[in-house]
Amino acid sequence: MKLSQIKEILQNLENVAFQLEDGTFVPEHFHVTEIGQIAKNFIDCGGTIRTEKTVNFQLWNADDFEHRLKPRKLLNIIKLSEDKLGIEDSEIEVEYQSETIGKYDLEFNGKIFILKNKTTACLAQDACGISENKATKESSECTPNSGCC
């Protein structure tokens, strides 16, 4: 979900709620403690230089059990971050603390926001000689010089 999409959705909501894919809800007293833009410059295992930009939302729970973030307040935080930081309309990545800091993609099911589990992938499968079949094999079959990243 892009920043422009969440802004549009928030205009028509009464409450803001987040749920993990496993059905667990982020406690309703969460705070959005950060909104920022993250630029990632990297090289993949095939030698291609890549750049990614995401808008980062950080969710945090405190012992402030009476706190409730309303859509209008979140819209104001987003607007402030756009005005002060020049944040672009990029895909949103949400950070949320579980055993460690988890990073999630964001979707909306018509009522609540869903924190979608992110996965890793080889971006240069052709350069690594990995076909779709090889990419799904057990790791025990991935030996040195076998073409796996």
Side-chain angles (χ1 to χ4, degrees):
M1 172 180 297
K2 288 189 148 207
L3 187 61
S4 58
Q5 293 171 295
I6 195 170
K7 287 169 34 180
E8 188 175 312
I9 291 167
L10 288 169
Q11 292 177 28
N12 300 308
L13 285 182
E14 290 184 30
N15 294 303
V16 180
F18 291 92
Q19 184 180 32
L20 297 164
E21 274 190 296
D22 69 4
T24 305
F25 278 89
V26 171
E28 58 187 4
H29 58 275
F30 75 92
H31 293 247
V32 174
T33 56
E34 295 178 11
I35 294 181
Q37 186 153 38
I38 296 175
K40 179 180 174 183
N41 299 314
F42 60 102
I43 189 165
D44 67 26
C45 59
T48 301
I49 296 174
R50 299 176 184 263
T51 301
E52 260 180 27
K53 284 187 179 178
T54 56
V55 174
N56 182 266
F57 283 34
Q58 186 181 77
L59 307 183
W60 179 66
N61 299 326
D63 293 333
D64 177 9
F65 296 106
E66 300 305 315
H67 182 270
R68 301 293 181 272
L69 181 66
K70 293 297 184 184
R72 175 66 39 208
K73 176 69 173 176
L74 183 50
L75 278 168
N76 289 340
I77 296 168
I78 292 169
K79 180 169 179 16
L80 181 64
S81 67
E82 288 174 313
D83 292 346
K84 300 292 183 181
L85 301 174
I87 289 179
E88 300 171 13
D89 186 26
S90 301
E91 289 292 321
I92 296 172
E93 178 178 80
V94 178
E95 289 182 357
Y96 178 63
Q97 182 78 41
S98 51
E99 293 85 35
T100 187
I101 299 171
K103 293 188 175 202
Y104 301 88
D105 287 325
L106 189 62
E107 290 184 3
F108 185 69
N109 71 4
K111 187 175 179 181
I112 58 175
F113 294 100
I114 306 297
L115 301 180
K116 301 290 288 183
N117 295 327
K118 293 179 77 96
T119 58
T120 59
C122 177
L123 298 176
Q125 289 185 12
D126 55 334
C128 289
I130 297 176
S131 67
E132 183 134 345
N133 291 340
K134 283 186 184 178
T136 59
K137 287 184 180 181
E138 292 292 321
S139 62
S140 63
E141 296 181 31
C142 200
T143 59
N145 301 320
S146 69
C148 294
C149 292

